[in-house]
Every structure is written in structure tokens, then in C-alpha cells.
């Protein structure tokens, strides 16, 4: 049990204290469980005791060093197993976006810690690796004007870098938000403490989610592919706009349900109704992506259900609740989605980008074939290029006959045939000779070309062009004028 030290006047302590005070009138007494267990004479023994000063705050505020900032708005939102709390010195704010425009205090806490008295020095013993708490104060003026400014913060996994100890309690009950934290700074550090008790704007957690093995993520993107007898849906927590990027997401799922079963009824994965479910995990082992597929009669140890409801307005309600998947029968997947999926289209837009800048649309192409070499001219201006237009082409790509139509990407480096590949942009020709040696203008490049009558399919990349401090990459698929 923690010992609490008190300075006590003898007239307030009762008879037992009076007796001790008679022999030690200028003393500090240690009281434990209501009884005096020891006394220390001031000027003689008291120097052996360290007293921690408790800063007292008034009202809803945050103290950073010697500065006190009043907090007037509070917003709470959720993501997965985390609650995010934002306090602002500006009154009347009701969204995170509004609060983030100025200075603010942010608390990120796993929901299992709400209402708990968290003691930083005991956190590793009292809680699990899945529990987490972080408190940060951002002074927007300093952040904007001082390149060396760092927000004041602590978290349960690195608090000892900045503080000797600390306590915190965060709770939400009966429509009231309560935030209390107090950190003891290390030598030379600044105080960091705060308190808030009052109303808040609660931005409810969306019911639509993508949960893998208990890890809940926001359900962000959906695509629909029309196939025989139904629709295949691709769902992912990845923040993507195109189906081409599904393979770059941590997780995604493909669910097929026949049109006749899109009535919202629950489909038992071990029942008779037709379905196909494929789960792709690119995160657990980045070098060996995992794919788990189940369908009628091929479920292994998996149990659960799926359902799809097709609504009259073109939206869908999709539910996946399956566990026991995989070889070890320990993978779990829960997905909830509502909305209108984007078309599942793997075609790439005709465009190019430089060093990650906004892509530029390619409107037209022309192709010349002579002496065993294809030369492709790309334009951002002309839809139907002529011989005159090619003189002002934005990008020119050359690919030898031997590398065309083999559905393979070929790089600059290699044989003399590789040396025939080139990409010219803004007057600079990138090829084998210009991307090697000490005077290299880029790290390398590649191209992939398919020619089918009057149509071409071309992908090209220049890696780390020095002139732009980034890569040049693009794609064009469509008709090309013959020169």
C-alpha cells in the first residue's frame, strides 16, 4: 500500500498524536491506515524524505511547462479498438477537422483502458501488449513557425524517455467526458498535466468494418465484378480508388453470390446455397502472401455465414462472419459493408506522372516501325497524332522487335538489345548509356509493349530521374496512328 505523508498540527490529531507531538513538536509524521507509524524531526531527519509536489489545476485546462491553456471543446471518435479524444481551446467545435485547424490535445486510448487508473511505471505489469494510451498536445503556432518544434506527449510504451512517472484516467459515462493526467518530468523537463470534465460531441464508430483475427479496421473500398449468374464483390480496408491496387492492400476479400441468393438471407458456409469466398492476406508475411479460399463443400474447419442484399437503389448490404479458416483453423474474418461498389475495372488510365506529382492525361499516340525497332510517340494534346504532331510529342519510347508482344517488362540494363530501349522526356533521353556510370541521369528504366494491329498497350518507367528527384512512369492503351 502506498504511504501518504502529511504535515500535521498536533491539535488536529487526537490524543495519540498529542503524546508524540509533545516529544517532537517540529516533526513530520508518517500515517498508515489511520495510525502514526513513524516521525521525523524537521532539520534533522526530514531531509531523508522526498516530497512530490502536486500541481493543482482549476477548470478544464492543460498545463505545458508554465503555460496553462483552457479547453472549451471536446470531440470523441473511434477507430477499431481505439477511442480518440480531442480537446480544443476554441469553443463550439464539433468535428475533428475543425479542431485540427488550431492547437489541440489528442488522447488515443484502447477502449479497454477507459475508466481505469493508469500508472505509467506499473503499466507493463498491470496491462497487456494490446493496451495503449497516448496523450499529445500540439501548439499550432509553434508547429507552423518553428521547424524544431516537437509536440509534448507521452505514451505507455515510451513515457520514460520524457517523464519519471505519471498517472491518467480517461472515462465517458452518462454523457460526460472525464480526462485527467499528470506527468512527473525528468530533470530539465517541463510539466505536462491536464483535466477536463464536461460534455462532448460523440462521433459514433461506423458499423461498417473489416475485421481480421479481432483487429478491426475501417471498411474503405468496394468493387463489383459482373460474372456469370451473379456478382463478385471485392472488399478491402485499403484506402484505394482502383481495383488494380487491391494487391497492394494489406487485406482484401472476394465474395461471389449468385443473383438468386442476393436477398439478404444468411448463407451458411457449410450449407447448400452457392457462394465463393477468398481471403487474401498480404500483411502477415510480406514475402509470402496468404490466400484462403472456401466454397460449397470445401470449407475445411471453417464455420460461419455470408449474406448479400441487393437494394433497389443500386447499393448492397454485405455481411461476412467466418472463423476457423486456414490450415491451422484459427483465422477469423468479419466484414460489414453498405454502399454502391465501384466497377471492378483493371484497365489503367492513359496517363503519366513525374516524381509522384498529379498524373497527366495522355490523349493520343503514334507508332513507327522500322529497322527492328518500334518508336511510340505520346501526346497530352492531340487525340489523333500526325507526322507533324510527333515532332512535339511529350514522351517518346523505343522498344526492339524482340521485346515486343512477349508480355514481359524489359529493363535498360543487359544486352545490346536492352540498349535499344529508351524513354525520352523533356529533351532528356533515358537509356542504358545514360543511366550507368558516374554521370548517370537516372538509376534505370524499363518498358513493356504489346502491338495488335492499330492498337498498342505500353507501360514505361524511369527510376529516380535526377532532374526531378523521382521516377517517371506511365501507361497508354488504345489506338495509335501508323507512321
Amino acid at each position: 500500500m502506498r504511504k501518504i505523508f502529511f504535515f500535521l498540527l498536533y491539535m488536529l490529531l487526537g490524543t495519540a498524536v498529542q503524546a508524540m507531538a509533545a516529544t517532537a513538536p517540529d516533526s513530520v509524521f508518517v500515517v498508515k491506515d489511520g495510525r502514526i507509524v513513524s516521525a521525523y524531526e524537521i532539520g534533522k531527519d526530514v531531509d531523508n524524505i522526498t516530497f512530490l509536489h502536486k500541481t493543482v489545476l482549476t477548470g478544464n485546462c492543460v498545463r505545458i511547462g508554465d503555460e496553462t491553456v483552457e479547453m472549451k471543446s471536446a470531440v470523441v471518435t473511434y477507430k477499431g479498438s481505439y477511442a480518440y479524444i480531442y480537446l480544443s481551446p476554441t469553443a463550439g467545435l464539433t468535428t475533428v477537422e475543425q479542431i485540427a485547424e488550431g492547437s489541440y490535445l489528442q488522447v488515443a486510448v484502447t477502449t479497454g483502458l477507459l475508466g481505469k487508473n493508469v500508472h505509467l511505471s506499473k503499466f507493463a505489469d498491470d496491462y497487456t501488449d494490446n493496451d495503449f494510451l497516448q496523450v499529445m498536445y500540439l501548439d499550432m503556432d509553434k508547429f507552423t513557425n518553428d521547424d524544431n518544434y516537437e509536440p509534448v506527449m507521452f505514451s505507455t510504451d515510451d513515457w520514460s524517455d520524457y517523464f519519471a512517472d505519471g498517472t491518467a484516467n480517461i472515462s465517458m459515462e452518462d454523457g460526460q467526458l472525464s480526462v485527467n493526467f499528470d506527468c512527473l518530468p525528468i530533470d530539465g523537463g517541463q510539466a505536462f498535466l491536464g483535466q477536463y470534465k464536461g460534455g462532448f460531441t460523440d462521433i459514433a464508430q461506423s458499423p461498417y468494418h473489416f475485421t481480421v483475427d479481432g483487429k478491426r479496421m475501417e471498411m474503405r473500398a468496394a468493387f463489383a465484378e459482373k460474372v456469370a449468374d451473379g456478382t463478385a464483390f471485392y472488399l478491402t480496408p485499403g484506402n484505394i480508388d482502383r481495383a488494380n491496387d487491391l494487391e497492394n492492400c494489406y487485406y482484401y476479400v472476394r465474395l461471389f453470390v449468385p443473383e438468386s441468393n442476393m436477398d439478404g438471407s444468411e448463407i451458411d458456409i457449410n450449407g447448400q446455397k452457392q457462394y465463393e469466398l477468398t481471403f487474401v492476406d498480404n500483411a502477415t508475411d510480406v514475402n509470402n502472401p496468404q490466400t484462403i479460399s472456401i466454397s460449397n463443400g470445401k470449407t475445411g474447419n471453417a464455420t460461419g455465414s455470408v449474406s448479400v442484399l441487393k437494394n433497389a437503389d443500386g447499393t448492397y448490404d454485405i455481411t461476412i462472419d467466418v472463423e476457423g479458416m486456414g490450415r491451422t483453423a484459427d483465422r477469423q474474418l468479419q466484414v460489414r459493408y453498405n454502399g454502391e461498389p465501384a466497377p471492378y475495372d483493371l484497365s489503367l488510365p492513359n496517363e503519366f506522372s513525374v516524381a509522384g506529382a498529379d498524373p497527366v492525361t495522355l490523349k493520343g499516340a503514334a507508332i513507327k516501325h522500322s529497322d527492328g525497332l518500334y518508336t511510340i510517340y505520346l501526346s497530352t494534346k492531340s487525340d489523333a497524332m500526325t507526322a507533324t504532331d510527333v515532332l512535339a510529342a511529350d514522351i517518346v519510347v523505343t522498344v526492339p522487335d524482340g521485346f515486343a508482344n512477349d508480355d514481359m517488362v524489359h529493363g535498360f540494363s543487359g544486352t545490346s538489345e536492352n540498349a535499344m530501349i529508351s524513354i525520352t522526356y523533356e529533351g532528356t533521353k533515358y537509356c542504358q548509356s545514360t543511366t550507368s556510370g558516374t554521370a548517370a541521369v537516372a538509376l534505370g528504366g524499363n518498358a513493356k509493349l504489346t502491338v495488335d494491329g492499330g492498337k498498342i498497350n505500353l507501360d514505361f518507367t524511369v527510376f529516380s530521374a535526377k532532374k526531378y528527384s523521382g521516377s517517371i512512369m506511365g501507361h497508354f492503351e488504345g489506338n495509335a496512328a501508323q507512321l
Side-chain angles (χ1 to χ4, degrees):
M1 181 180 291
R2 290 175 297 174
K3 293 183 179 180
I4 304 175
F5 296 90
F6 295 95
F7 286 103
L8 300 173
L9 297 176
Y10 74 95
M11 71 282 292
L12 300 177
L13 294 179
T15 56
V17 179
Q18 294 174 17
M20 294 187 68
T23 58
D26 296 312
S27 301
V28 173
F29 300 97
V30 178
V31 179
K32 181 178 181 181
D33 297 332
R35 303 182 64 181
I36 296 176
V37 296
S38 58
Y40 297 88
E41 184 178 345
I42 294 175
K44 181 177 180 181
D45 301 314
V46 76
D47 292 338
N48 297 325
I49 306 173
T50 300
F51 296 94
L52 298 180
H53 177 64
K54 178 70 174 180
T55 303
V56 178
L57 297 178
T58 301
N60 296 332
C61 61
V62 174
R63 173 76 64 81
I64 310 98
D66 296 328
E67 180 184 7
T68 300
V69 182
E70 184 179 2
M71 295 289 121
K72 299 178 182 179
S73 294
V75 172
V76 178
T77 186
Y78 306 86
K79 184 176 181 181
S81 60
Y82 283 81
Y84 291 89
I85 298 160
Y86 298 86
L87 303 180
S88 171
T90 303
L93 304 186
T94 58
T95 69
V96 175
E97 290 76 14
Q98 290 173 339
I99 287 180
E101 291 179 358
S103 301
Y104 62 89
L105 180 87
Q106 180 197 61
V107 179
V109 57
T110 46
T111 53
L113 291 182
L114 293 174
K116 301 290 181 64
N117 293 316
V118 176
H119 201 292
L120 294 181
S121 61
K122 298 180 180 179
F123 189 86
D125 296 326
D126 292 345
Y127 301 102
T128 71
D129 291 340
N130 294 323
D131 296 309
F132 181 79
L133 168 67
Q134 178 179 283
V135 180
M136 178 199 74
Y137 180 76
L138 175 70
D139 185 315
M140 186 58 70
D141 288 338
K142 294 180 181 178
F143 179 76
T144 303
N145 300 313
D146 185 353
D147 292 338
N148 296 318
Y149 171 74
E150 294 184 4
V152 181
M153 64 175 291
F154 73 86
S155 64
T156 48
D157 58 2
D158 68 354
W159 61 270
S160 59
D161 293 342
Y162 310 98
F163 301 98
D165 207 344
T167 58
N169 185 296
I170 316 296
S171 66
M172 286 172 279
E173 296 180 356
D174 301 325
Q176 293 284 293
L177 168 66
S178 177
V179 175
N180 287 278
F181 66 94
D182 191 352
C183 296
L184 179 65
I186 59 176
D187 291 343
Q190 60 180 336
F192 186 36
L193 62 155
Q195 64 182 27
Y196 179 92
K197 187 168 185 179
F200 64 99
T201 299
D202 190 349
I203 302 176
Q205 182 169 242
S206 171
Y208 307 113
H209 60 94
F210 196 109
T211 302
V212 178
D213 301 333
K215 179 183 178 182
R216 180 174 175 135
M217 295 159 282
E218 183 179 348
M219 180 51 238
R220 284 196 174 97
F223 305 91
E225 178 188 23
K226 295 297 182 182
V227 295
D229 301 325
T231 302
F233 300 94
Y234 296 80
L235 309 170
T236 180
N239 190 20
I240 60 174
D241 298 317
R242 300 185 305 189
N244 308 72
D245 295 322
L246 281 166
E247 295 298 335
N248 299 324
C249 297
Y250 286 161
Y251 308 102
Y252 73 89
V253 66
R254 178 187 185 273
L255 173 65
F256 165 75
V257 173
E259 195 78 22
S260 58
N261 290 339
M262 292 186 187
D263 57 2
S265 61
E266 190 174 277
I267 302 174
D268 186 339
I269 65 169
N270 290 300
Q272 300 302 313
K273 291 185 177 181
Q274 186 183 358
Y275 76 95
E276 296 173 5
L277 178 66
T278 299
F279 169 59
V280 179
D281 176 359
N282 292 315
T284 301
D285 185 346
V286 294
N287 296 315
N288 297 287
Q290 301 176 25
T291 300
I292 301 173
S293 297
I294 59 176
S295 58
N296 298 91
K298 299 178 181 179
T299 58
N301 294 311
T303 59
S305 64
V306 300
S307 69
V308 177
L309 175 62
K310 183 178 181 180
N311 300 306
D313 61 357
T315 63
Y316 293 85
D317 291 293
I318 300 175
T319 300
I320 300 172
D321 188 357
V322 180
E323 60 183 19
M325 296 189 303
R327 293 182 179 179
T328 54
D330 61 351
R331 304 304 303 272
Q332 301 176 20
L333 180 66
Q334 290 83 36
V335 180
R336 286 289 308 279
Y337 169 76
N338 169 264
E340 184 176 1
Y344 181 78
D345 183 3
L346 296 181
S347 63
L348 296 173
N350 292 337
E351 61 187 26
F352 75 98
S353 63
V354 179
D358 291 339
V360 179
T361 300
L362 291 168
K363 295 182 178 180
I367 185 169
K368 179 181 179 181
H369 184 219
S370 64
D371 300 326
L373 187 71
Y374 288 98
T375 303
I376 300 95
Y377 303 88
L378 302 174
S379 173
T380 61
K381 303 179 183 65
S382 177
D383 295 327
M385 297 184 68
T386 66
T388 302
D389 294 325
V390 301
L391 299 176
D394 296 276
I395 295 175
V396 180
V397 180
T398 61
V399 179
D401 285 0
F403 290 163
N405 299 315
D406 65 357
D407 199 33
M408 294 180 62
V409 176
H410 296 275
F412 293 166
S413 60
T415 66
S416 57
E417 194 168 20
N418 293 92
M420 297 172 70
I421 302 172
S422 70
I423 300 167
T424 301
Y425 176 66
E426 290 192 337
T428 300
K429 184 177 182 179
Y430 301 92
C431 58
Q432 187 179 107
S433 62
T434 63
T435 59
S436 60
T438 56
V441 295
L443 294 183
N446 59 42
K448 176 184 174 183
L449 174 66
T450 299
V451 181
D452 182 10
K455 294 185 178 181
I456 65 170
N457 190 334
L458 172 67
D459 294 290
F460 57 91
T461 304
V462 175
F463 297 106
S464 299
K466 288 187 176 181
K467 184 177 180 180
Y468 309 102
S469 299
S471 297
I472 305 167
M473 53 200 320
H475 171 84
F476 184 90
E477 183 175 1
N479 295 320
Q482 301 287 324
L483 301 176

